[in-house]
Amino acid sequence: MTRQEIAERVTKVTARELRRNIAEIRESDQFAMELGADSLKSIELVAAFEEEFNLNLVEEEALKVQSVGGAIDFFDKIINKK
Amino acid sequence: MKNYELQDIPQPNLIENIFPYSLPPLIKFEGKIQETIDGKTVEFDPNEVKTRDIHITDTTFRDGQQARPPYKKEQMVKLYEMLSRLGGPNGVIRQSEFFLYTKNDRETIDACRNLNLKFPEITGWIRANKGDFRLVKEMGLKETGMLTSSSDYHIFHKQNQTRKQAMDQYVEVVEAALEAGIRPRCHLEDITRADLPGFVFPFVQRLERLTEKQPDNMKVKIRLCDTMGFGLSYPNAAEPRSIPKLIWRLRNECGVTPDRLEWHGHNDFHKVHINGASAWIYGLNALNGTLFGFGERCGNPPLEGAIIEYIALKGSLSGINLPVITEMVEYYEKEIGTHLASNYPFVGKDFNTTRAGIHAGGLRKFEQIYNIFDTTTLLNRPPRVSITDKSGTDGVALWVNDFLGLKGEERLSVMKVAKIQRWVMDQYEVGGRMSSITDEELEEQVKINLPEYYKQHHRN
């Protein structure tokens, strides 16, 4: 999967879970600060990423990801085993 | 001023010589305790407690029963059997005292004796008059407690006697006991409110003279009854409330040996457990208590608390069978119909249950952070979490993993239980709920949101 495909899916899931307009979401956006995810919403978002990419993530690592761009890099690294 | 430098170490220092986790936290002392008596400094060596034959005596069926509806005979027999198992083969629970007044009392003693258990030894309790003494003789007991009230509150205002009349009457019954080959145990009621040099010490010295030629197993025992919970363990507290001074004078000025001294407390000022433990440390051997602290008014020293204290002081289980405590509380709840406060230490429903999300997070990462000792092994009570709006996703994860019995790598992450946590939060934020989520409700959520795990759990 290319980074572009991963980015599209991360953005789509983020918009759906955090109830945002997909066009407004930037890679630089922080889930908590810019997109308003509280602690439970952040966990639900990671759970949604797990479903989207059919992965079982390590909790400590997954919850460290703070931004949209960080999430794209995180999944790019896992999926493409960089 | 001493300068302390940060020691930035790679591995944590969990101070395991004091907090072994496999045992309750240990009590260690680093020096002697000083007390001022008659203007002079006297010393107590608290480490002596490690070698002295400290033990517990039980009064669940006497003082413990004065404050509640009577137990049925079969209940007492069952509890007696459990006391025996709890205290173990070394007799950490050494004796248990019983009323002798009713037919039911006497039949209960017979039934307990028929169990042929070495510990706890059955002893009696009577008022200090010769008529009552006949009951002890008839039951063939080797030792009996007798009420020998020691404060003027009792002697003057309850018994309408002079001090001499009271003392003579007490001594007469002690003599009768000795004559019959029954060991007397004088319960000096209200001793922490008594005139010690004016009555208590002369009485004890008279008892000592009376039994000085008796063999050791017939010498009089002295129970120090802090009837109203006035006793104080604080260093240099004034007499008659000072526990250290009382024990020191009885040992050093009256010649009573520690094996013949016993502490019996009451909890009117929330001091019942620490006073009993302090009495051990300050030099007497027997701590008298009741199961779960049931007793007159605010209760007696909780026996299970004394058991934990014993282990902490001795540094080993010494044959104690701790999970019996959990069996006992279940028996009280299911068979006797008595429920303890949920936050009651060691046995209450929630004694090792956390509700705070931050604590649940700690428990998930490393159980020892928020569990007092290995309660799973020692008490058959794994630490739990109670789910509310404050317990967080960590709390739900902990509950779900424990419910499903998942360990190590199998344990589900917070992401896997996020839907359940959302349901929990909706109960409070949308539904305005004010109570905790029940185990049954959570089980239902597991069934809905984690059906594969739920099915697997039921197959197992």
Side-chain angles (χ1 to χ4, degrees):
Chain A
M1 200 181 301
T2 65
R3 190 180 189 284
Q4 181 57 33
E5 285 168 326
I6 291 169
E8 282 169 14
R9 290 170 75 169
V10 165
T11 308
K12 180 190 74 183
V13 169
T14 303
R16 186 186 73 219
E17 289 298 316
L18 302 183
R19 293 181 189 164
R20 296 275 161 171
N21 186 335
I22 198 163
E24 289 172 6
I25 294 174
R26 305 276 173 273
E27 281 203 21
S28 59
D29 284 347
Q30 299 276 317
F31 294 122
M33 298 298 287
E34 275 90 11
L35 301 176
D38 63 15
S39 59
L40 175 55
K41 210 67 199 136
S42 298
I43 294 168
E44 288 176 319
L45 183 60
V46 177
F49 287 143
E50 279 189 324
E51 278 184 27
E52 177 70 22
F53 295 109
N54 195 25
L55 292 169
N56 282 316
L57 300 173
V58 176
E59 181 182 315
E60 288 77 14
E61 291 172 13
L63 293 176
K64 274 184 197 161
V65 176
Q66 303 282 315
S67 65
V68 176
I72 295 165
D73 291 341
F74 179 76
F75 289 110
D76 186 28
K77 197 172 168 185
I78 292 174
I79 293 163
N80 297 315
K81 303 213 186 311
K82 286 180 181 169
Chain B
M1 194 188 292
K2 186 173 174 180
N3 186 40
Y4 289 95
E5 296 285 342
L6 172 70
Q7 298 166 23
D8 196 12
I9 55 176
Q11 295 299 322
N13 173 9
L14 303 180
I15 317 172
E16 286 168 314
N17 63 326
I18 289 180
F19 305 101
Y21 203 63
S22 57
L23 287 176
L26 306 180
I27 299 169
K28 300 200 172 195
F29 299 98
E30 295 179 335
K32 293 190 176 175
I33 306 169
Q34 295 187 330
E35 180 80 15
T36 304
I37 298 180
D38 297 335
K40 291 178 186 151
T41 301
V42 302
E43 286 191 334
F44 297 82
D45 182 1
N47 281 313
E48 191 206 0
V49 82
K50 298 198 182 300
T51 50
R52 205 155 23 81
D53 179 29
I54 60 168
H55 56 265
I56 295 161
T57 57
D58 169 64
T59 185
T60 297
F61 308 127
R62 205 276 298 168
D63 209 342
Q65 205 173 186
Q66 284 176 207
R68 48 157 296 121
Y71 294 111
K72 291 177 190 162
K73 179 179 132 187
E74 59 270 22
Q75 291 170 341
M76 290 167 73
V77 174
K78 179 66 184 166
L79 289 172
Y80 174 77
E81 181 272 327
M82 288 197 270
L83 279 170
S84 179
R85 276 194 287 132
L86 174 61
N90 300 319
V92 173
I93 302 175
R94 194 71 48 89
Q95 294 181 318
S96 181
E97 67 182 331
F98 287 70
F99 281 124
L100 304 168
Y101 289 105
T102 67
K103 190 166 165 272
N104 188 52
D105 293 334
R106 296 189 288 274
E107 284 178 357
T108 302
I109 292 175
D110 280 335
C112 290
R113 283 201 293 210
N114 287 341
L115 296 175
N116 288 318
L117 301 170
K118 188 176 178 192
F119 299 113
E121 178 196 348
I122 293 170
T123 72
W125 181 92
I126 58 167
R127 297 178 195 93
N129 66 58
K130 278 187 162 177
D132 284 6
F133 179 70
R134 179 184 51 82
L135 298 166
V136 187
K137 229 168 149 179
E138 282 172 7
M139 288 306 295
L141 300 180
K142 289 181 182 160
E143 178 178 317
T144 189
M146 53 184 72
L147 184 61
T148 56
S149 300
S150 62
S151 77
D152 288 346
Y153 286 84
H154 286 241
I155 295 169
F156 283 73
H157 290 295
K158 182 174 152 193
Q159 298 168 192
N160 290 320
Q161 290 177 311
T162 64
R163 290 177 175 180
K164 183 170 186 318
Q165 285 169 334
M167 193 189 293
D168 287 346
Q169 183 194 320
Y170 302 158
V171 168
E172 198 180 336
V173 183
V174 169
E175 284 174 333
L178 292 169
E179 214 170 281
I182 295 166
R183 185 174 201 176
R185 185 181 66 233
C186 291
H187 294 192
L188 274 72
E189 283 292 322
D190 211 18
I191 197 168
T192 47
R193 197 166 47 162
D195 181 341
L196 300 176
F199 182 81
V200 169
F201 301 144
F203 175 46
V204 173
Q205 288 180 341
R206 187 168 164 190
L207 292 172
E208 288 294 289
R209 284 194 297 276
L210 196 65
T211 59
E212 65 189 350
K213 294 207 169 67
Q214 295 281 344
D216 282 352
N217 66 354
M218 284 301 290
K219 286 192 193 301
V220 70
K221 284 184 176 178
I222 306 291
R223 179 181 286 184
L224 313 177
C225 300
D226 183 19
T227 306
M228 307 300 286
F230 292 135
L232 294 173
S233 60
Y234 307 135
N236 292 320
E239 294 169 281
R241 297 184 70 183
S242 165
I243 297 167
K245 287 182 173 69
L246 180 60
I247 295 171
W248 189 89
R249 288 195 195 274
L250 287 168
R251 282 184 60 169
N252 293 282
E253 296 178 346
C254 300
V256 190
T257 48
D259 57 301
R260 293 188 289 120
L261 284 171
E262 181 178 31
W263 179 261
H264 171 95
H266 277 269
N267 199 30
D268 298 75
F269 293 93
H270 277 299
K271 293 183 168 68
V272 78
H273 174 73
I274 201 63
N275 279 355
S278 299
W280 263 344
I281 290 161
Y282 279 104
L284 55 66
N285 281 10
L287 170 52
N288 191 231
T290 60
L291 279 172
F292 314 124
F294 289 127
E296 196 77 303
R297 298 187 315 282
C298 310
N300 297 112
L303 185 140
E304 70 289 345
I307 284 275
I308 299 288
E309 198 80 10
Y310 181 97
I311 297 165
L313 286 167
K314 291 288 189 184
S316 78
L317 288 172
S318 310
I320 291 166
N321 186 352
L322 268 184
V324 178
I325 291 177
T326 305
E327 262 185 69
M328 284 171 147
V329 75
E330 285 168 0
Y331 186 77
Y332 265 84
E333 292 189 347
K334 287 180 189 154
E335 302 298 329
I336 300 176
T338 299
H339 296 271
L340 297 177
S342 59
N343 63 348
Y344 192 88
F346 312 127
V347 291
K349 183 173 166 283
D350 294 335
F351 91 87
N352 61 347
T353 298
T354 187
R355 286 183 178 78
I358 196 157
H359 288 197
L363 268 176
R364 282 185 70 217
K365 290 182 176 72
F366 188 56
E367 179 184 296
Q368 297 183 29
I369 298 174
Y370 286 113
N371 201 24
I372 53 174
F373 51 78
D374 184 358
T375 55
T376 308
T377 306
L378 293 174
L379 291 169
N380 270 340
R381 292 283 304 270
R384 296 191 72 238
V385 61
S386 172
I387 302 301
T388 67
D389 57 339
K390 308 288 188 302
S391 45
T393 318
D394 273 314
V396 170
L398 187 64
W399 190 97
V400 169
N401 282 314
D402 284 349
F403 170 73
L404 295 171
L406 300 176
K407 309 228 180 282
E409 303 259 301
E410 290 177 335
R411 290 174 82 85
L412 300 178
S413 68
V414 287
M415 289 86 82
K416 293 283 186 280
V417 302
K419 285 179 181 159
I420 300 177
Q421 171 63 359
R422 177 56 68 193
W423 176 85
V424 169
M425 292 310 292
D426 284 350
Q427 299 303 299
Y428 295 93
E429 290 177 350
V430 180
R433 183 173 178 143
M434 301 296 285
S435 58
S436 299
I437 306 291
T438 65
D439 289 350
E440 291 73 23
E441 287 173 300
L442 286 166
E443 183 174 344
E444 185 61 22
Q445 288 304 309
V446 173
K447 195 174 171 183
I448 294 166
N449 292 293
L450 299 163
E452 287 308 313
Y453 287 98
Y454 186 81
K455 276 183 211 157
Q456 180 69 34
H457 171 69
H458 271 265
R459 274 199 292 273
N460 295 339

